[in-house]
Amino acid sequence: LAKTTQPISMDSYEGQEVNITCSHNNIATNDYITWYQQFPSQGPRFIIQGYKTKVTNEVASLFIPADRKSSTLSLPRVSLSDTAVYYCLVGEPGGGNKLTFGTGTQLKVEL
Amino acid sequence: DSGVTQTPKHLITATGQRVTLRCSPRSGDLSVYWYQQSLDQGLQFLIQYYNGEERAKGNILERFSAQQFPDLHSELNLSSLELGDSALYFCASGPGPFAEQYFGPGTRLTVT
């Protein structure tokens, strides 16, 4: 069961790049890493998923080093609307494994 | 709008009672997940179904049960409710056993 650890909170300013790191030291071979964004009283929203190296989509990039014991979500040029909680999820394709959400990182973006 | 619907939106009930929460996944999604989110526990994975079969089990209490029906909608049954069961309950769906998940708006359960 891969336990994840994230910073509790981060602060940034509009237009800055934000990097949020998730530690998952005992990640299993078949585990994928997925990041979600959550606003208050709403369900989490899928951001990005990866297995190794780098994945990029229209909203974020995900960097995973070779040992896969951590991952970094990179948000380019954040805005006030990016203020939210960000969760790192580690789990195995095919199920049969508990889906463990991290503690979540509260990102606050200011002007 | 994720395409996942949950009913009811709010539910207030008394201790000892039983309630049923309902989830309709996005069209075409075969996986359904249930999560509990309370202030002091964060987002806790309860259970996953894939195409009608239980696929993974998390920290789901014995008082709780779930199922996924042939039309792929799912129900979460909570019985012998306790004050500590008050929480937001989210359903999510996805195209595969561990593809990305799309969360519904949640059901806020208050046990008094």
Side-chain angles (χ1 to χ4, degrees):
Chain A
L1 181 60
K3 177 179 168 55
T4 60
T5 303
Q6 303 174 230
I8 294 175
S9 64
M10 295 182 71
D11 294 327
S12 185
Y13 294 96
E14 277 203 316
Q16 299 291 306
E17 177 184 78
V18 171
N19 295 309
I20 306 174
T21 297
C22 179
S23 172
H24 28 80
N25 289 324
N26 58 339
I27 187 170
T29 302
N30 293 334
D31 285 344
Y32 275 65
I33 300 151
T34 313
W35 285 81
Y36 291 84
Q37 175 194 56
Q38 187 179 26
F39 299 108
S41 297
Q42 295 185 24
R45 183 177 73 96
F46 170 80
I47 301 174
I48 197 166
Q49 184 181 68
Y51 182 78
K52 62 179 179 180
T53 63
K54 177 183 174 181
V55 180
T56 297
N57 62 21
E58 62 275 9
V59 297
S61 294
L62 177 60
F63 298 91
I64 305 170
D67 66 8
R68 304 201 326 123
K69 293 185 177 183
S70 66
S71 58
T72 299
L73 173 72
S74 181
L75 304 173
R77 297 179 299 282
V78 295
S79 65
L80 293 176
S81 63
D82 293 316
T83 295
V85 178
Y86 292 82
Y87 289 98
C88 164
L89 173 64
V90 175
E92 173 186 333
N97 190 10
K98 295 181 182 181
L99 300 173
T100 307
F101 269 75
T103 53
T105 298
Q106 173 66 62
L107 173 64
K108 182 178 179 182
V109 180
E110 299 174 291
L111 288 173
Chain B
D1 184 358
S2 66
V4 177
T5 60
Q6 291 186 247
T7 56
K9 191 171 182 178
H10 300 279
L11 195 51
I12 301 174
T13 190
T15 54
Q17 295 297 304
R18 171 189 170 96
V19 298
T20 298
L21 312 184
R22 182 187 169 97
C23 170
S24 293
R26 293 186 323 155
S27 177
D29 283 352
L30 298 179
S31 273
V32 169
Y33 310 77
W34 285 98
Y35 292 86
Q36 179 193 57
Q37 187 170 40
S38 55
L39 283 175
D40 57 348
Q41 291 289 324
L43 197 61
Q44 299 289 319
F45 167 67
L46 296 178
I47 198 164
Q48 177 199 5
Y49 284 85
Y50 178 70
N51 203 20
E53 299 290 326
E54 181 183 305
R55 198 65 183 243
K57 211 169 210 180
N59 299 317
I60 187 167
L61 300 172
E62 286 193 11
R63 300 184 285 110
F64 296 179
S65 64
Q67 60 184 128
Q68 185 179 29
F69 294 87
D71 67 354
L72 300 178
H73 91 272
S74 179
E75 292 181 355
L76 178 67
N77 300 297
L78 315 176
S79 62
S80 302
L81 285 168
E82 303 175 357
L83 296 177
D85 297 326
S86 295
L88 262 172
Y89 290 85
F90 289 108
C91 166
S93 74
F98 189 67
E100 65 274 18
Q101 299 175 50
Y102 298 88
F103 283 75
T107 293
R108 183 173 293 280
L109 173 67
T110 302
V111 182
T112 62

